[in-house]
Amino acid sequence: MRGNRRELGVTLVLLVVLLGLMVLGVSMGRASVSLPELADLLTGRADQVTRFVVVELRLPRLLTAVAAGACLGLSGALLQSIVRNPLASPDIIGITHGASAAGVIGVVYLGISGLALTGLVSLGGVGAAVAIYLLAWRRGVVGYRLLLAGIGVAALATSVVSWVLTQTDVRDATVALTWITGSLARADWPTLNPLLICAGGLVVLLAVLSPRLRSLELGDDPAAALGVSVERSRLWLLLASVALASAAVAVTGPVAFVALVSAPIARRTVGAGRLALVPAALVGAVIMLASDLIAQFTIPETTLPVGVVTGVVGAPYLLWLLMRTNRSGAGG
């Protein structure tokens, strides 16, 4: 009960922080929007200019950051729980790299955009996950094999992206940069709606699968003794993790380190031994939204891709995690 109350309190705090960041994001910019104007918008009394700025320009970007960050945070929490390794993350083991390679190929060679490109990027992430799973399979999947196979697939996908960019026109390469660093510049209602639909369906699936995840965290043998089909449950949970990451990458590109750091932060706040899936999703949303605000407004007249900011924050954490796991032998 104490753990449940603590997790509920952390969730409420994260929701307040997220709401505050959203209000800040709506009000900042060249066309500033004050709190009274926001109140008028909520009551239907705002003028057309304020409604256009908030609803058509800023709100889709804010909601895309929240939804994509939540998907990445939840995906990382699932993967780290399944593999039982703090280094397991969609952006470390190659899932987002596979989606990125598919996006670059779709932009440069196929010339597609919109839903077709979104579908191709999702297929790229799923294809990378299937390749990783098959390479790691040896009468079952062990965490360290999955991690090593994923690193190899990530390196291969990165090589594909680099080769495609060296063969293409400069203008196409500029468009393709979204699928390398990650950006929210493409955010609008037509791209946001499919992300929200996918995220909603996957959350319902996770609500069904979460009891199996709790059993798997005890270990394969105890989970099997409790009547859980270990490999089948692990496969479904892996697919859910991959689908969440692919849905986010299809809209924002491969935003680095959000999936990696969200679950550890959430678990440290709610206490050890808890899945903390909802707090991990909220931490991912907070990181993504805060990073995007920093990317937009820190340097005057310059808007950075959000992946640049998350990379600056996440890279030192990855180095610290590698040193820590190397000392303790917990890295696989």
Side-chain angles (χ1 to χ4, degrees), residues 79 83 87-99 125 127-137 141-159 238 242:
L79 201 54
V83 180
L87 292 173
S89 171
D91 48 357
I92 298 297
I93 70 168
I95 294 171
T96 58
H97 293 80
V130 170
I132 294 165
Y133 192 84
L134 293 176
L135 289 170
W137 176 269
V141 174
V142 179
Y144 77 90
R145 285 204 302 264
L146 193 73
L147 191 62
L148 292 176
I151 291 172
V153 170
L156 179 62
T158 302
S159 299
L238 281 172
V242 170

Side-chain angles (χ1 to χ4, degrees), residues 62-133:
L62 293 172
L63 293 178
T64 299
V66 170
C71 286
L72 289 174
L74 190 54
S75 176
L78 279 174
L79 201 54
Q80 289 169 6
S81 296
I82 296 166
V83 180
R84 295 193 290 275
N85 191 311
L87 292 173
S89 171
D91 48 357
I92 298 297
I93 70 168
I95 294 171
T96 58
H97 293 80
S100 175
V104 171
I105 291 172
V107 169
V108 174
Y109 287 144
L110 303 180
I112 59 176
S113 60
L115 288 177
L117 182 60
T118 300
L120 181 62
V121 171
S122 300
L123 287 176
V126 173
V130 170
I132 294 165
Y133 192 84

Side-chain angles (χ1 to χ4, degrees), residues 5-17:
R5 288 196 296 269
R6 181 171 179 175
E7 184 167 343
L8 179 61
V10 170
T11 300
L12 293 176
V13 169
L14 288 171
L15 284 172
V16 171
V17 172

Side-chain angles (χ1 to χ4, degrees), residues 183-265:
S183 173
L184 289 165
R186 297 173 55 248
D188 54 19
W189 289 112
T191 58
L192 172 62
N193 291 331
L195 174 60
L196 294 177
I197 293 171
C198 290
L202 290 168
V203 167
V204 173
L205 176 63
L206 284 179
V208 176
L209 294 175
S210 58
R212 301 185 185 185
L213 180 59
R214 291 189 179 91
S215 300
L216 287 176
E217 284 217 314
L218 300 174
D220 290 356
D221 291 337
L226 291 172
V228 175
S229 177
V230 174
E231 288 303 324
R232 183 180 301 175
S233 299
R234 183 178 286 122
L235 179 59
W236 276 107
L237 289 165
L238 281 172
L239 288 175
S241 176
V242 170
L244 285 165
S246 298
V249 173
V251 176
T252 65
V255 181
F257 298 117
V258 175
L260 178 68
V261 304
S262 297
I265 293 173

